[in-house]
Amino acid sequence: MSSRGTFSNKFGFIMAAAGSAVGLGNIWGFPFKAANGGGAAFLFIYILCCFILCFPVMITEISIGRNTTKNAIGAFPKLGFPKWRFVGFIGVFCGVMILSFYNVVASWAFGYFLNLSIGNFEIGNHFADFTKDIYTIIIYAFIFMFITGFIISKGVTKGIEQASKIMMPTLFAILIGLVLYSLTLPNAVIGVSYYLIPDFSEVSISTIYIALGQAFFSLSLGMGMQLTYGSYVNKADNIVSSAMWITLTDLSVAFLAGFMMFPIIAYMNNGDMSNVTGGPGLIFVTLPGVFETLGTVTGSIVGSLFFLLLCFAALTSTISLLEVPVAWCVDELKMNRSIATWGTALIIFILGIPCVLANGYSDFWTNFITYGGKETPTDYLSFVNDFASELLLPLGGTIMTFFAAYIWKTKNMNEEICLGYPNYKGSFVELFLNFTVKYFCPVILFIIFIFTILNKFFGITIF
Ligand code: PHE
């Protein structure tokens, strides 16, 4: 087992898994979904989704991993169910797809970090040209993948754990610094109220569905990532409390990101919050302009720190995405870790090249597909995101919980949890997990999967 590597302690595991969870999704996904979905009302639904639905899935994945000390694919034969290996294959495939586009978006953040460190605020006015300059982006994407590969090639303790232990606290420190700074800007209160004042009229069935999808992606569930990291966890560790810490850390970063973004937007719009949009446009077009108004020195410090924060958030996620296929190559195909790392990193980097071309450079990749019920085509990068994150992750989660409940059986899962949590048997937590893993998660996740297919790809809205 030692040749596979292990996390040196519970803290190391929490930092690594929380690092995977905290990513681009927290910083540009969550705050805007919250603001558009009814502010505090959305937050409330989101917290419920995290704890009632996602938390049991996370525990399921971690227990399978720790019980088998295997990767996402090899875990199933190790438990005696070789046919279920397909779940792992879906996971590895999904991780590869997510990493292929995620690395490209991370490389934009990296490019912006470099530009803003030297005070080039103009970059914000040229975002379209920036993404179309494919040779530069390919170099940035290569560097980002190289750093990811470098950390993964160092192994679990010296690579993943060590890097996360440095990056996560730094990320927190930068985030808190930026939040405090944002809150001192004029009109900060307007921004915060826009973010948080509950508006129940905005809440509908689709809000719940958006909150769930966001929580699932944000907690890196459904593709065997928590399973793989779980396989490096000590038997004596309490998985339930680790999963609680991971969920809470991810939630707090998402929540705090809103306190950083909305005061900045309110400041920029002089308190007019009537047409706020999120996503890449805001991050890469609007924000650099705001940083410029802070003055050259303050602007480049605040601006480069912001993009450094994004890079760190992305990097702790990209390493976890790369670890899933690498662990499989090392365990099952008996490859040397370095070869496995550089081989997979290279393949995924190449798979990401169409994502680089999908932002206006190539017509084919930019207008890749037109979903049913839509008039305008979707580009390849967004398509991969929709397909892998919105479709395959809930599917993975459905099958994984179904497997744990009815094939492997909750009794065995409970025994695994008990190893690091002696009072677990007979506790409320056990009752709760038994119920959610058996009945709640597989059913709800499957419903979401069906809704996504109908709604996203065929334009059929049921609610
Ligand atoms: N959780 C990451 C984010 O919020 C993305 C991710 C998804 C990472 C799945 C690993 C696995 O950005």
Side-chain angles (χ1 to χ4, degrees), residues 75-349:
F76 296 92
K78 179 86 186 274
L79 289 174
F81 309 100
K83 286 201 183 120
W84 285 79
R85 234 192 306 227
F86 79 94
V87 188
F89 277 111
I90 300 180
V92 170
F93 173 73
C94 181
V96 167
M97 296 313 278
I98 294 183
L99 183 53
S100 73
F101 80 82
Y102 204 93
N103 186 56
V104 173
V105 180
S107 72
W108 297 344
F110 179 61
Y112 266 61
F113 165 67
L114 297 180
N115 274 286
L116 287 194
S117 333
I118 53 166
N120 179 15
F121 302 105
E122 265 303 292
I123 187 93
N125 296 329
H126 304 286
F127 179 56
D129 298 327
F130 172 81
T131 54
K132 262 191 248 169
D133 178 5
I134 60 158
Y135 298 105
T136 312
I137 301 292
I138 287 179
I139 293 173
Y140 289 152
F142 186 84
I143 298 176
F144 210 87
M145 188 62 95
F146 181 84
I147 302 173
T148 306
F150 180 75
I151 296 171
I152 288 300
S153 71
K154 295 269 166 218
V156 179
T157 327
K158 294 219 175 81
I160 302 175
E161 180 177 335
Q162 197 59 33
S164 310
K165 277 185 180 162
I166 299 172
M167 279 191 280
M168 287 303 285
T170 317
L171 182 149
F172 246 108
I174 300 179
L175 179 62
I176 292 184
L178 289 177
V179 167
L180 294 177
Y181 181 76
S182 288
L183 291 175
T184 61
L185 292 170
N187 292 325
V189 181
I190 299 181
V192 173
S193 340
Y194 175 80
Y195 175 36
L196 287 181
I197 291 199
D199 179 356
F200 287 94
S201 67
E202 299 254 15
V203 177
S204 63
I205 291 279
S206 66
T207 316
I208 301 180
Y209 161 89
I210 292 172
L212 260 176
Q214 171 67 23
F216 217 71
F217 178 79
S218 190
L219 290 166
S220 312
L221 299 173
M223 50 149 287
M225 177 268 129
Q226 301 283 0
L227 189 160
T228 308
Y229 275 17
S231 74
Y232 306 128
V233 170
N234 278 310
K235 289 282 182 199
D237 285 352
N238 181 336
I239 314 179
V240 175
S241 79
S242 300
M244 188 60 105
W245 276 109
I246 298 164
T247 310
L248 285 174
T249 310
D250 188 56
L251 244 172
S252 26
V253 172
F255 183 60
L256 282 175
F259 284 94
M260 166 178 72
M261 307 286 272
F262 290 105
I264 297 185
I265 300 172
Y267 161 74
M268 170 186 77
N269 291 349
N270 291 321
D272 173 13
M273 302 299 277
S274 52
N275 43 18
V276 177
T277 50
L282 178 98
I283 305 263
F284 292 108
V285 180
T286 320
L287 285 186
V290 182
F291 295 139
E292 187 170 17
T293 62
L294 304 175
T296 323
V297 178
T298 319
S300 46
I301 296 175
V302 176
S304 52
L305 277 179
F306 175 80
F307 285 101
L308 185 66
L309 170 80
L310 270 187
C311 290
F312 276 6
L315 189 56
T316 45
S317 299
T318 53
I319 56 176
S320 73
L321 286 159
L322 186 60
E323 178 61 19
V324 175
V326 168
W328 171 60
C329 295
V330 171
D331 290 350
E332 309 300 305
L333 310 181
K334 309 279 175 248
M335 277 189 193
N336 161 300
R337 191 170 175 92
S338 288
I339 298 179
T341 305
W342 296 117
T344 13
L346 185 67
I347 294 173
I348 300 175
F349 166 74

